[in-house]
Amino acid sequence: MTTLIKGGTVVSATGADPAEVLIDGEQIEAVLRPGSDIAAAAEQGAEVVDATGRLVVPGGVDVHTHMELPFGGTFASDTFETGTRAAAWGGTTTIVDFAVQTYGENVRECLDAWMAKAEGNCAIDYGFHMIIGGVDNDALKEMDLLVNEGITSFKLFMAYPGVMLSDDGQILRAMQQAAGNGGLIMMHAENGLAIDVLAEQAFERGEISPVNHGYVRRKELESEATHRAVQLAKVGAAPLYIVHLSASEALEQVAIARDGGMNVFAETCPQYLHFSLEEHLDRPGFEGAGYVCSTPLRSRAEGHQDDLWRGLRTNDLAVVSTDHCPFCMKEQKELGLNDFRAIPNGIGGVEHRMDMIYQGVVTGEIGLARWVELCATTPARMMGLYPRKGIIAPGSDADVVIYDPDKQWTISVDNHHMNMDYSAYEGVGVTGHVDTVFSRGRKVIDGGRYLGRAGDGRYLPRGLSQYLM
């Protein structure tokens, strides 16, 4: 079956031009000049989709999600089925989630367990990073094997002592291993040992409300850990990718490393661009628990949000992911009613990334091409999925989003599709809306209808990052 998308403006990482997109089966056959003889011929026998007045963009690639993640005695509320369906509603057609190994567990057994969770359940295509929570000789050997099998990135933690935290020696060993096998080290950069001291002291003073989560996870401790990660990567000669960066001071450390020619990259997330400690985490009563995530929301008065937008423009921040890790308020976030330390860390946002970053286009923070670059093209290149994903070009998968740039609407728990009983984005007014989504040529969202199903998504073995020198 062939499909011709005509009348729209095709946006790539390099610009926006009127063009017609011909889809043949699961791949893009051609990108055609409007009105050409070739385009007219292609229209014969094809299903024609009118995209007049719309943007035609590559499907989003979200390279940081946590479906079904165990955390704090509970699990992220989105399954691979519900979470990937919600992603499709928001114009994301590929996710890269995390298989999790913690202390004392076997890497291979953990990976197999996560593969089983996803297989047959995902509505869109998916891949995996590997969390190495216990760096030992066996885990280091598995890293080499996994790279050859298409899992080419490994996440380490400087936070969560006793569960995930790796000490500097373990981090260095993992970095040295990655330097040899070509993998990418992803780092949760916060000084978890110091944070736990501050958190215990706050609790002992009776400071139990959600906002204290932000107070104890200080910007200095994100900056210090980012600096330390950069220096360890320099010693280990390994590439480094800082996840969910939220603080200006941490961004400065990334910028210094990049200016020095290091293979250091960073992502941020929509919540750090649009939310703040004062306006969201410090809401009355227990409402702020809905905004507890790590790294935490930062103070707007200190200018972190403005600095992050600038980082997106300068490419010191190369990717926008969601760190999608949803929990319901009832029975999950409420585990921390009397102790902010027990609130599960995470915000659900996989459905809203494309829209919330498009607001930067609306306000002039970034341009159209940069929107596509941050949300689709660079993530695909960074994680070894390009040019299969992240671009509208002949031979690429037909992951295509038709986007209405002018529609105005309001996000609510009543209209989102994530498995949550609240929305962190409740009442947020948005300009821009996903109209139609194709996943490998199959129409999965169209005119407010979901046409996909569990199992539509395929597992994606990944190549090495295309940004490594």
Side-chain angles (χ1 to χ4, degrees):
M1 179 178 176
T2 59
T3 302
L4 183 68
I5 302 171
K6 61 180 300 183
T9 299
V10 174
V11 185
S12 72
T14 57
D17 296 288
E20 299 185 358
V21 179
L22 180 64
I23 297 171
D24 186 6
E26 296 190 347
Q27 291 189 327
I28 294 169
E29 178 71 18
V31 180
L32 306 168
R33 180 171 55 83
S36 68
D37 292 341
I38 298 176
E43 190 169 342
Q44 303 303 313
E47 177 190 359
V48 177
V49 177
D50 185 5
T52 301
R54 305 294 193 262
L55 304 175
V56 181
V57 303
V61 180
D62 189 344
V63 297
H64 190 158
T65 66
H66 292 290
M67 309 302 175
E68 305 184 35
L69 179 74
F71 191 99
T74 186
F75 291 82
S77 56
D78 262 323
T79 65
F80 279 93
E81 180 180 355
T82 64
T84 56
R85 184 170 65 233
W89 275 102
T92 288
T93 54
T94 302
I95 64 164
V96 187
D97 205 271
F98 291 84
V100 181
Q101 177 238 15
T102 59
Y103 293 164
E105 295 181 323
N106 177 273
V107 170
R108 180 65 56 169
E109 291 175 358
C110 293
L111 174 60
D112 290 345
W114 282 89
M115 287 284 196
K117 291 175 187 282
E119 186 176 4
N121 293 313
C122 291
I124 58 174
D125 290 354
Y126 64 98
F128 279 112
H129 314 284
M130 190 75 221
I131 289 176
I132 305 292
V135 179
D136 56 23
N137 289 334
D138 289 340
L140 294 170
K141 291 175 183 176
E142 283 290 349
M143 288 174 66
D144 291 346
L145 298 175
L146 292 181
V147 166
N148 292 328
E149 297 171 19
I151 295 179
T152 56
S153 43
F154 305 94
K155 185 178 180 183
L156 304 175
F157 286 79
M158 292 173 150
Y160 307 122
V163 182
M164 293 288 190
L165 182 143
S166 296
D167 64 34
D168 289 355
Q170 292 171 317
I171 290 170
L172 179 59
R173 292 185 71 195
M175 287 177 164
Q176 291 171 332
Q177 201 77 14
N181 63 35
L184 179 65
I185 294 294
M186 307 172 74
M187 188 66 69
H188 180 130
E190 290 185 291
N191 189 321
L193 294 170
I195 287 168
D196 279 6
V197 169
L198 296 179
E200 182 179 0
Q201 291 170 344
F203 179 75
E204 289 174 350
R205 292 192 298 268
E207 298 164 359
I208 62 172
S209 63
V211 71
N212 291 286
H213 175 84
Y215 291 152
V216 303
R217 303 186 91 93
R218 295 176 59 117
K219 61 187 181 182
E220 294 87 353
L221 299 180
E222 184 182 354
S223 175
E224 181 275 330
T226 303
H227 174 78
R228 183 158 39 100
V230 167
Q231 298 308 311
L232 289 169
K234 190 172 186 178
V235 173
L240 175 66
Y241 181 97
I242 303 293
V243 298
H244 50 53
L245 189 148
S246 67
S248 302
E249 291 80 1
L251 178 58
E252 182 180 8
Q253 297 301 318
V254 171
I256 291 170
R258 290 178 57 78
D259 289 347
M262 290 184 66
N263 273 334
V264 174
F265 311 93
E267 68 175 22
T268 194
C269 307
Q271 55 265 32
Y272 304 124
L273 297 162
H274 291 283
F275 298 157
S276 72
L277 183 148
E278 301 96 329
E279 299 161 304
H280 298 88
L281 195 55
D282 197 18
R283 288 190 173 184
F286 194 65
E287 189 179 349
Y291 300 91
V292 166
C293 58
S294 298
T295 54
L297 305 182
R298 300 297 180 186
S299 168
R300 193 175 299 279
E302 295 176 352
H304 297 279
Q305 293 78 6
D306 290 341
D307 288 342
L308 295 180
W309 280 113
R310 184 167 62 251
L312 293 176
R313 292 193 295 273
T314 63
N315 205 40
D316 288 325
L317 291 170
V319 170
V320 177
S321 299
T322 57
D323 190 15
H324 176 74
C325 192
F327 298 97
C328 293
M329 290 292 286
K330 293 291 183 182
E331 298 182 0
Q332 291 191 302
K333 291 287 188 178
E334 288 182 354
L335 290 169
L337 267 172
N338 298 310
D339 184 351
F340 71 91
R341 299 172 299 176
I343 300 171
N345 290 198
I347 291 178
V350 73
E351 187 170 350
H352 303 315
R353 181 182 62 123
M354 298 289 285
D355 289 325
M356 295 311 298
I357 303 309
Y358 184 75
Q359 301 319 291
V361 178
V362 174
T363 59
E365 296 283 0
I366 57 173
L368 271 177
R370 186 62 175 156
W371 173 51
V372 167
E373 192 173 21
L374 290 166
C375 293
T377 308
T378 296
R381 286 175 169 158
M382 188 70 69
M383 298 303 170
L385 292 168
Y386 184 90
R388 181 175 180 181
K389 305 295 185 182
I391 188 172
I392 295 176
S396 297
D397 282 355
D399 296 344
V400 181
V401 175
I402 300 175
Y403 195 82
D404 183 344
D406 301 315
K407 182 174 180 177
Q408 297 183 342
W409 62 290
T410 301
I411 299 174
S412 171
V413 66
D414 296 328
N415 59 29
H416 79 196
H417 302 86
M418 297 174 289
N419 187 32
M420 300 170 62
D421 62 1
Y422 81 103
S423 173
Y425 294 87
E426 186 71 40
V428 173
V430 173
T431 299
H433 189 268
V434 171
D435 276 359
T436 304
V437 178
F438 293 86
S439 175
R440 278 186 288 104
R442 178 188 176 94
K443 193 182 294 182
V444 295
I445 303 292
D446 188 42
R449 296 175 299 150
Y450 176 67
L451 306 175
R453 61 178 183 267
D456 280 348
R458 291 181 184 166
Y459 171 67
L460 300 170
R462 297 182 291 115
L464 300 179
S465 174
Q466 297 180 1
Y467 286 98
L468 306 186
M469 295 183 292

